[in-house]
Amino acid sequence: MSIEFRAEQALRLWHAVSMALVHDDKPDLTLRQMTILLTVYLEPPPHTVRGLAARLDVTKPVITRALDTMGRLQLLKRRRDETDRRNVIVQRTVEGSLFLEAFADLVCLKARELPR
Amino acid sequence: MSIEFRAEQALRLWHAVSMALVHDDKPDLTLRQMTILLTVYLEPPPHTVRGLAARLDVTKPVITRALDTMGRLQLLKRRRDETDRRNVIVQRTVEGSLFLEAFADLVCLKARELPR
DNA sequence: GCTAAATGGTACGGCAGCGAAACGATCATG
DNA sequence: CATGATCGTTTCGCTGCCGTACCATTTAGC
């Protein structure tokens, strides 16, 4: 199962997935928001605001605002770090897991439908 | 060269590509803008404002605004349809082609770097 | 304890995208 | 040639994200 594809297939995959997301009436996440979400779910914890800002090379308020928005959407949640109460630990949620699971299924589906 | 991947690989690919786009200091396109761009480059012409709006299931002003923005970025251009001057034909540009080519290369690169 | 550093959040003005509605130009129809 | 339909754009008020600067809380160092 090698993941090599041609440039055109890459574009067609991105197109199909993007089109599906646009057609979906759920509010779409910003590129930065999506990147934060994926980082939290794919990279080893703990995830702090400052750490995420450094990882993405963006300012802190970007992370704070994204956590506000995605917190409202229940995709992520904050927790105070009790060993160092200055830190905020960003954690996954059930809703976030389900969201990314559905997204991954969408990508796999569109990849499977790709012309050779 | 079958394009089947697992859910986790899909997420990791999207993460790697998104991260690269975020790190890039070029202004990122909206999901809708990117979808319009890919549609123009991948689907058979001609592309009109109304046609694109129907294809993406968005309102016309969304297309107009996206064309303004991407026109400024030289990724697309407008041309009046001379046979029916009410229509505007959306056309590719050299810069747009280069942009998508680089993007496709990025996706292919990140796909190749994916863990098995 | 007291100061300095570190962390996350907030305030502010600016900019861009959004939907709904109205508009001008162009074409089709009689 | 006059009326109505079609097409793209513009306007309006709104919302949300942006970066810069500043603030409150907590910890570290002396």
Coordinates of all heavy atoms in Angstrom, one line a residue, chain A residues 8-65:
Chain A
E8 N -1.7 15.2 -10.6 CA -3.1 15.4 -10.9 C -4.0 14.7 -9.9 O -5.1 15.2 -9.6 CB -3.4 14.9 -12.3 CG -4.7 15.4 -12.8 CD -5.2 14.6 -14.0 OE1 -4.4 14.2 -14.8 OE2 -6.5 14.4 -14.1
Q9 N -3.6 13.5 -9.5 CA -4.4 12.8 -8.5 C -4.5 13.6 -7.2 O -5.5 13.6 -6.5 CB -3.9 11.4 -8.3 CG -4.1 10.5 -9.4 CD -3.4 9.2 -9.2 OE1 -2.2 9.1 -8.8 NE2 -4.1 8.1 -9.5
A10 N -3.4 14.2 -6.8 CA -3.3 15.0 -5.6 C -4.3 16.1 -5.7 O -5.1 16.4 -4.8 CB -1.9 15.5 -5.4
L11 N -4.3 16.8 -6.8 CA -5.2 17.9 -7.0 C -6.7 17.5 -7.0 O -7.6 18.1 -6.4 CB -4.9 18.7 -8.3 CG -3.6 19.4 -8.4 CD1 -3.4 20.2 -9.7 CD2 -3.5 20.4 -7.2
R12 N -6.9 16.3 -7.7 CA -8.3 15.8 -7.7 C -8.8 15.4 -6.4 O -10.0 15.6 -6.0 CB -8.4 14.7 -8.7 CG -8.2 15.1 -10.2 CD -8.8 14.2 -11.2 NE -8.6 14.7 -12.6 CZ -9.4 15.6 -13.1 NH1 -10.4 16.1 -12.5 NH2 -9.1 16.1 -14.3
L13 N -7.9 14.8 -5.6 CA -8.3 14.4 -4.2 C -8.6 15.6 -3.4 O -9.7 15.7 -2.8 CB -7.2 13.6 -3.6 CG -7.4 13.3 -2.1 CD1 -8.6 12.4 -1.9 CD2 -6.2 12.6 -1.5
W14 N -7.8 16.6 -3.5 CA -8.0 17.9 -2.7 C -9.3 18.5 -3.1 O -10.1 19.0 -2.3 CB -6.9 18.8 -2.8 CG -6.6 19.6 -1.5 CD1 -7.0 20.8 -1.2 CD2 -5.8 19.1 -0.5 NE1 -6.6 21.1 0.1 CE2 -5.8 20.1 0.5 CE3 -5.0 17.9 -0.2 CZ2 -5.1 19.9 1.7 CZ3 -4.4 17.7 0.9 CH2 -4.4 18.7 1.9
H15 N -9.5 18.5 -4.4 CA -10.7 19.1 -5.0 C -12.0 18.4 -4.5 O -12.9 19.1 -4.0 CB -10.7 19.1 -6.5 CG -11.8 19.8 -7.2 ND1 -12.5 19.2 -8.2 CD2 -12.4 20.9 -6.9 CE1 -13.5 20.0 -8.6 NE2 -13.5 21.1 -7.9
A16 N -12.0 17.1 -4.5 CA -13.2 16.3 -4.1 C -13.5 16.5 -2.7 O -14.6 16.7 -2.3 CB -12.9 14.8 -4.5
V17 N -12.4 16.5 -1.9 CA -12.6 16.7 -0.4 C -13.1 18.1 -0.1 O -14.1 18.3 0.6 CB -11.3 16.4 0.4 CG1 -11.5 16.7 1.8 CG2 -11.0 14.9 0.2
S18 N -12.5 19.1 -0.7 CA -12.8 20.5 -0.5 C -14.3 20.7 -0.9 O -15.1 21.4 -0.2 CB -11.9 21.4 -1.2 OG -10.6 21.2 -0.9
M19 N -14.6 20.2 -2.1 CA -16.0 20.3 -2.6 C -17.0 19.7 -1.6 O -18.0 20.4 -1.3 CB -16.1 19.6 -3.9 CG -17.4 19.9 -4.6 SD -17.6 21.6 -5.2 CE -16.7 21.6 -6.8
A20 N -16.7 18.6 -1.1 CA -17.6 18.0 -0.1 C -17.7 18.8 1.2 O -18.8 19.0 1.7 CB -17.1 16.6 0.3
L21 N -16.6 19.4 1.6 CA -16.7 20.3 2.8 C -17.5 21.5 2.5 O -18.2 22.0 3.4 CB -15.2 20.6 3.2 CG -14.4 19.5 3.7 CD1 -13.0 20.0 4.1 CD2 -15.0 18.8 4.9
V22 N -17.3 22.1 1.3 CA -18.1 23.3 1.0 C -19.6 23.0 0.9 O -20.4 23.7 1.4 CB -17.6 23.9 -0.3 CG1 -18.5 25.0 -0.8 CG2 -16.2 24.5 -0.2
H23 N -19.9 21.8 0.3 CA -21.3 21.5 0.2 C -21.9 21.2 1.5 O -23.1 21.5 1.7 CB -21.4 20.2 -0.7 CG -21.4 20.5 -2.2 ND1 -20.9 19.6 -3.1 CD2 -21.7 21.6 -2.8 CE1 -21.0 20.2 -4.3 NE2 -21.5 21.4 -4.2
D24 N -21.1 20.7 2.4 CA -21.6 20.5 3.8 C -22.0 21.8 4.4 O -21.4 22.8 4.2 CB -20.4 19.9 4.6 CG -21.0 18.9 5.7 OD1 -21.9 18.2 5.3 OD2 -20.5 19.0 6.8
D25 N -23.1 21.8 5.1 CA -23.6 23.1 5.6 C -23.0 23.4 7.0 O -23.2 24.5 7.5 CB -25.1 23.1 5.6 CG -25.7 21.9 6.2 OD1 -24.9 21.0 6.5 OD2 -26.9 21.8 6.3
K26 N -22.3 22.5 7.6 CA -21.6 22.7 8.8 C -20.6 23.8 8.6 O -20.0 24.0 7.5 CB -21.0 21.5 9.4 CG -21.9 20.5 10.0 CD -21.2 19.2 10.4 CE -20.8 18.4 9.3 NZ -20.3 17.0 9.6
P27 N -20.4 24.7 9.6 CA -19.4 25.8 9.5 C -18.0 25.2 9.3 O -17.6 24.3 10.0 CB -19.5 26.5 10.8 CG -20.0 25.4 11.8 CD -20.9 24.5 11.0
D28 N -17.3 25.7 8.2 CA -16.0 25.1 8.0 C -14.9 25.8 8.9 O -15.0 26.9 9.2 CB -15.5 25.2 6.5 CG -16.4 26.0 5.7 OD1 -17.5 25.5 5.3 OD2 -16.0 27.1 5.3
L29 N -14.0 25.0 9.2 CA -12.9 25.5 10.0 C -11.9 26.2 9.1 O -11.7 25.8 8.0 CB -12.2 24.3 10.7 CG -13.1 23.5 11.7 CD1 -12.2 22.4 12.3 CD2 -13.7 24.4 12.7
T30 N -11.2 27.2 9.7 CA -10.1 27.8 9.1 C -9.0 26.9 8.9 O -8.9 25.8 9.6 CB -9.7 29.0 9.9 OG1 -10.7 29.9 10.0 CG2 -8.4 29.7 9.4
L31 N -8.1 27.1 7.9 CA -6.9 26.3 7.7 C -6.1 26.2 9.1 O -5.7 25.1 9.4 CB -6.0 26.9 6.7 CG -4.7 26.2 6.4 CD1 -5.0 24.8 5.9 CD2 -3.8 27.0 5.4
R32 N -6.0 27.3 9.7 CA -5.2 27.3 11.0 C -6.0 26.5 12.1 O -5.4 25.7 12.8 CB -5.1 28.7 11.5 CG -4.1 29.5 10.7 CD -4.0 31.0 11.1 NE -3.0 31.7 10.5 CZ -2.5 32.9 10.9 NH1 -3.0 33.4 12.0 NH2 -1.5 33.5 10.3
Q33 N -7.3 26.6 12.1 CA -8.0 25.9 13.1 C -7.9 24.4 12.8 O -7.7 23.6 13.8 CB -9.5 26.3 13.0 CG -9.8 27.7 13.6 CD -11.2 28.2 13.3 OE1 -11.9 27.6 12.5 NE2 -11.6 29.3 13.9
M34 N -8.0 24.0 11.6 CA -7.9 22.6 11.2 C -6.5 22.1 11.6 O -6.4 20.9 12.1 CB -8.2 22.4 9.7 CG -8.3 21.0 9.2 SD -9.7 20.1 10.0 CE -9.7 18.6 9.1
T35 N -5.5 22.9 11.4 CA -4.1 22.5 11.7 C -4.0 22.3 13.2 O -3.3 21.3 13.6 CB -3.2 23.5 11.1 OG1 -3.4 23.8 9.8 CG2 -1.7 23.0 11.3
I36 N -4.5 23.2 13.9 CA -4.5 23.0 15.4 C -5.2 21.7 15.8 O -4.6 20.9 16.6 CB -5.1 24.2 16.1 CG1 -4.3 25.5 15.8 CG2 -5.3 24.0 17.6 CD1 -5.0 26.8 16.3
L37 N -6.3 21.5 15.3 CA -7.1 20.3 15.7 C -6.3 19.1 15.4 O -6.2 18.2 16.2 CB -8.4 20.3 14.9 CG -9.4 19.3 15.3 CD1 -9.9 19.4 16.7 CD2 -10.7 19.3 14.4
L38 N -5.8 19.0 14.2 CA -5.0 17.8 13.8 C -3.8 17.7 14.6 O -3.4 16.5 15.0 CB -4.7 17.9 12.3 CG -5.8 17.6 11.3 CD1 -5.5 18.1 9.9 CD2 -6.2 16.2 11.4
T39 N -3.1 18.7 14.9 CA -1.9 18.7 15.8 C -2.3 18.1 17.1 O -1.5 17.2 17.6 CB -1.3 20.1 15.9 OG1 -1.0 20.6 14.7 CG2 -0.1 20.0 16.8
V40 N -3.3 18.5 17.7 CA -3.7 18.0 19.0 C -4.1 16.6 19.0 O -3.7 15.8 19.9 CB -4.9 18.8 19.6 CG1 -5.5 18.2 20.9 CG2 -4.5 20.3 19.9
Y41 N -4.7 16.1 17.9 CA -5.1 14.7 17.8 C -4.0 13.8 17.3 O -4.1 12.6 17.6 CB -6.3 14.6 16.9 CG -7.6 14.9 17.7 CD1 -8.0 16.2 17.9 CD2 -8.4 13.9 18.2 CE1 -9.2 16.5 18.6 CE2 -9.6 14.2 18.9 CZ -9.9 15.5 19.1 OH -11.1 15.8 19.8
L42 N -3.0 14.3 16.7 CA -2.0 13.4 16.1 C -0.7 13.5 16.8 O 0.1 12.5 16.7 CB -1.8 13.8 14.6 CG -3.0 13.5 13.7 CD1 -2.7 13.9 12.2 CD2 -3.3 12.0 13.7
E43 N -0.3 14.6 17.4 CA 1.0 14.7 18.1 C 0.9 14.4 19.5 O -0.2 14.6 20.1 CB 1.6 16.0 17.8 CG 1.7 16.3 16.2 CD 2.7 17.4 15.9 OE1 3.0 18.2 16.8 OE2 3.1 17.4 14.7
P44 N 1.9 13.9 20.1 CA 1.9 13.5 21.5 C 1.6 14.6 22.5 O 2.2 15.7 22.3 CB 3.3 12.8 21.8 CG 4.1 13.4 20.7 CD 3.3 13.6 19.5
P45 N 0.8 14.5 23.5 CA 0.5 15.5 24.4 C 1.7 15.7 25.4 O 2.6 14.9 25.3 CB -0.7 15.0 25.2 CG -0.7 13.5 25.0 CD 0.0 13.3 23.7
P46 N 1.7 16.7 26.2 CA 0.6 17.7 26.4 C 0.7 18.8 25.3 O 1.8 19.1 24.8 CB 0.9 18.2 27.8 CG 2.4 18.1 27.9 CD 2.8 16.9 27.1
H47 N -0.4 19.5 25.1 CA -0.4 20.6 24.2 C -0.8 21.9 24.9 O -1.9 21.9 25.5 CB -1.4 20.4 23.1 CG -1.1 19.2 22.3 ND1 -0.1 19.1 21.3 CD2 -1.6 17.9 22.3 CE1 -0.1 17.9 20.7 NE2 -1.0 17.2 21.3
T48 N 0.1 22.8 25.0 CA -0.2 24.1 25.6 C -0.4 25.2 24.5 O -0.1 25.0 23.4 CB 1.0 24.5 26.5 OG1 2.1 24.8 25.7 CG2 1.3 23.4 27.5
V49 N -0.9 26.3 25.0 CA -1.2 27.4 24.0 C 0.2 27.8 23.4 O 0.3 28.0 22.2 CB -1.9 28.6 24.7 CG1 -1.9 29.8 23.8 CG2 -3.2 28.1 25.2
R50 N 1.1 28.0 24.3 CA 2.4 28.5 23.8 C 3.1 27.5 22.9 O 3.7 27.8 21.9 CB 3.3 28.8 25.0 CG 4.5 29.7 24.6 CD 5.2 30.3 25.9 NE 6.0 31.3 25.5 CZ 5.6 32.6 25.3 NH1 4.3 32.9 25.4 NH2 6.5 33.5 25.0
G51 N 3.0 26.2 23.3 CA 3.6 25.2 22.5 C 2.9 25.1 21.1 O 3.6 25.0 20.1
L52 N 1.6 25.2 21.0 CA 0.9 25.2 19.7 C 1.3 26.4 18.9 O 1.5 26.3 17.7 CB -0.6 25.1 19.9 CG -1.1 23.8 20.5 CD1 -2.6 23.9 20.9 CD2 -1.0 22.7 19.4
A53 N 1.4 27.5 19.6 CA 1.8 28.7 18.8 C 3.2 28.6 18.2 O 3.4 28.9 17.0 CB 1.8 29.9 19.8
A54 N 4.1 28.0 19.0 CA 5.4 27.8 18.4 C 5.4 26.7 17.3 O 6.1 26.9 16.3 CB 6.4 27.3 19.6
R55 N 4.6 25.7 17.5 CA 4.6 24.6 16.5 C 4.0 25.1 15.2 O 4.5 24.7 14.1 CB 3.6 23.5 17.1 CG 3.5 22.2 16.2 CD 4.7 21.3 16.3 NE 4.6 20.2 15.5 CZ 4.9 20.1 14.2 NH1 5.4 21.2 13.6 NH2 4.8 19.0 13.5
L56 N 3.0 25.9 15.2 CA 2.5 26.5 14.0 C 3.1 27.7 13.5 O 2.8 28.2 12.4 CB 1.0 26.7 14.2 CG 0.0 25.7 14.6 CD1 -1.4 25.9 14.0 CD2 0.4 24.3 14.2
D57 N 3.9 28.3 14.4 CA 4.6 29.6 14.1 C 3.6 30.7 13.9 O 3.6 31.4 12.9 CB 5.5 29.4 12.9 CG 6.4 30.6 12.7 OD1 6.7 31.3 13.7 OD2 6.8 30.9 11.5
V58 N 2.7 30.8 14.8 CA 1.7 31.9 14.8 C 1.7 32.5 16.2 O 2.3 32.0 17.1 CB 0.2 31.3 14.5 CG1 0.2 30.8 13.1 CG2 -0.2 30.3 15.5
T59 N 1.0 33.6 16.3 CA 1.0 34.3 17.6 C 0.0 33.6 18.6 O -0.9 32.9 18.2 CB 0.5 35.8 17.5 OG1 -0.8 35.8 16.9 CG2 1.5 36.5 16.6
K60 N 0.2 33.9 19.9 CA -0.7 33.2 20.9 C -2.2 33.5 20.7 O -3.0 32.6 20.8 CB -0.2 33.7 22.3 CG 1.0 33.0 22.8 CD 1.3 33.5 24.2 CE 1.5 35.0 24.2 NZ 1.7 35.6 25.6
P61 N -2.5 34.8 20.4 CA -4.0 35.1 20.3 C -4.6 34.2 19.2 O -5.8 33.9 19.3 CB -4.0 36.5 19.9 CG -2.8 37.1 20.6 CD -1.8 36.0 20.5
V62 N -3.9 33.8 18.2 CA -4.4 32.9 17.2 C -4.9 31.6 17.8 O -6.0 31.1 17.6 CB -3.4 32.7 16.1 CG1 -3.8 31.5 15.2 CG2 -3.2 33.9 15.3
I63 N -4.0 31.1 18.7 CA -4.4 29.9 19.4 C -5.6 30.1 20.3 O -6.5 29.3 20.3 CB -3.2 29.3 20.2 CG1 -1.9 29.2 19.2 CG2 -3.5 28.0 20.8 CD1 -2.1 28.2 18.2
T64 N -5.5 31.1 21.1 CA -6.6 31.4 22.1 C -7.9 31.5 21.3 O -8.9 30.9 21.7 CB -6.3 32.7 22.8 OG1 -5.1 32.6 23.6 CG2 -7.5 33.1 23.7
R65 N -7.9 32.3 20.3 CA -9.2 32.5 19.5 C -9.7 31.1 18.9 O -10.9 30.8 18.9 CB -9.0 33.5 18.4 CG -9.0 34.9 18.9 CD -9.0 35.9 17.7 NE -7.7 35.8 17.0 CZ -6.8 36.7 17.1 NH1 -7.0 37.8 17.8 NH2 -5.7 36.6 16.4

